[in-house]
């Protein structure tokens, strides 16, 4: 490995931490299964659930409300499997929120990073749809943010900004709208950008 490759890898950091998928065979449990623990995880909007004394993992508060999860509730194996699936979806959601805490991302970028972390497609789609609905992921706002940063940094053309946005997974119409919105606020010096390229 060359020094250049080493420094690039160091700048990028390590690969994302893997998402640990919970796997429990409820066939080994005696029916009816019983919810033996329900505890809110402070400040997270999640609840940790145990069945028959075994901690299953964290689920969202709305899942607990929708399913009527409470201590002492009896569950069939099918219901326990659905609870486990909800735990795995919630793990992907938590990872997505961790990624968004670092910086805003497009839905495509977020999907790619979650795949790299080992998440399966169904929980990824569920998490992204939830984050879109809640406004944590907004491709149009993200595109405006990137376009504004590129325009203000100078030395870029409209075409270059479109290219950057498309590389980040922004749809063509969303990219165009972001650039128009940005240009309404900030003047893009395309002549200066072309001159800078020629001078290089």
């Amino acid at each position: 490995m060359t020094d250049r490759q080493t420094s690039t890898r160091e700048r990028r950091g390590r690969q994302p931490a893997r998402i640990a998928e919970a796997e429990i065979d409820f066939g080994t449990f005696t029916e009816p299964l019983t919810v033996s623990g329900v505890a809110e995880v402070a400040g997270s909007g999640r609840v940790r659930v145990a069945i028959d004394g075994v901690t299953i993992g964290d689920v969202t508060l709305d899942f607990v409300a929708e399913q009527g999860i409470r201590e002492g509730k009896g569950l069939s194996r099918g219901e326990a499997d659905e609870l486990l699936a909800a735990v795995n979806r919630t793990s992907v959601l938590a990872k997505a929120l961790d990624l968004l805490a670092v910086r805003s991302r497009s839905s495509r970028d977020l999907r790619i990073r979650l795949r790299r972390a080992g998440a399966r497609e169904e929980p990824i789609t569920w998490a992204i749809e939830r984050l879109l609905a809640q406004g944590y992921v907004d491709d149009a706002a993200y595109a405006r943010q990137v376009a504004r940063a590129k325009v203000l940094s100078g030395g870029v053309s409209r075409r270059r900004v479109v290219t950057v946005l498309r590389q980040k997974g922004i749809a063509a119409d969303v990219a165009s709208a972001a650039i128009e919105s940005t240009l309404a606020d900030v003047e893009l010096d395309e002549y200066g950008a072309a001159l800078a390229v020629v001078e290089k």
Side-chain angles (χ1 to χ4, degrees):
M1 183 180 298
T2 67
D3 289 339
R4 183 173 183 164
Q5 288 172 324
T6 303
S7 62
T8 301
R9 190 169 284 172
E10 286 170 1
R11 278 198 306 272
R12 288 185 187 158
R14 298 180 313 217
Q15 289 293 323
R18 303 289 291 175
I19 297 170
E21 187 167 287
E23 293 181 1
I24 298 172
D25 179 9
F26 290 111
T28 62
F29 287 57
T30 305
E31 285 197 79
L33 290 77
T34 305
V35 176
S36 58
V38 178
E40 190 169 348
V41 180
S44 70
R46 297 190 295 267
V47 174
R48 187 154 296 144
V49 180
I51 295 177
D52 290 350
V54 177
T55 299
I56 306 303
D58 298 352
V59 293
T60 59
L61 284 169
D62 56 336
F63 179 84
V64 170
E66 287 165 12
Q67 301 299 316
I69 303 294
R70 65 187 184 288
E71 280 193 40
K73 179 179 180 174
L75 300 174
S76 67
R77 286 194 179 123
E79 289 170 324
D81 285 336
E82 176 50 34
L83 176 61
L84 187 61
V87 165
N88 288 323
R89 288 193 300 267
T90 304
S91 294
V92 174
L93 178 64
K95 178 64 176 177
L97 288 168
D98 287 347
L99 289 166
L100 291 170
V102 175
R103 67 176 178 83
S104 60
R105 299 178 187 279
S106 69
S107 55
R108 178 176 171 264
D109 181 38
L110 192 56
R111 183 176 296 276
I112 289 167
R113 290 178 184 278
L114 290 170
R115 280 182 190 145
R116 285 183 192 159
R120 289 179 299 107
E121 224 35 60
E122 185 270 327
I124 290 174
T125 299
W126 176 84
I128 290 175
E129 286 175 358
R130 184 180 178 99
L131 292 167
L132 284 165
Q134 294 174 338
Y136 288 105
V137 175
D138 183 338
D139 283 353
Y142 175 74
R144 287 191 301 273
Q145 177 187 354
V146 171
R148 185 173 182 79
K150 290 292 176 192
V151 169
L152 290 176
S153 70
V156 294
S157 65
R158 175 191 294 255
R159 187 173 177 179
R160 177 67 185 139
V161 176
V162 169
T163 301
V164 168
L165 289 172
R166 297 293 288 137
Q167 288 170 345
K168 292 181 177 292
I170 302 299
D173 59 330
V174 176
S176 295
I179 291 168
E180 293 308 319
S181 171
T182 301
L183 295 181
D185 296 335
V186 180
E187 187 175 329
L188 177 60
D189 180 9
E190 295 210 56
Y191 174 77
L195 190 60
V197 169
V198 169
E199 286 175 352
K200 281 183 183 176

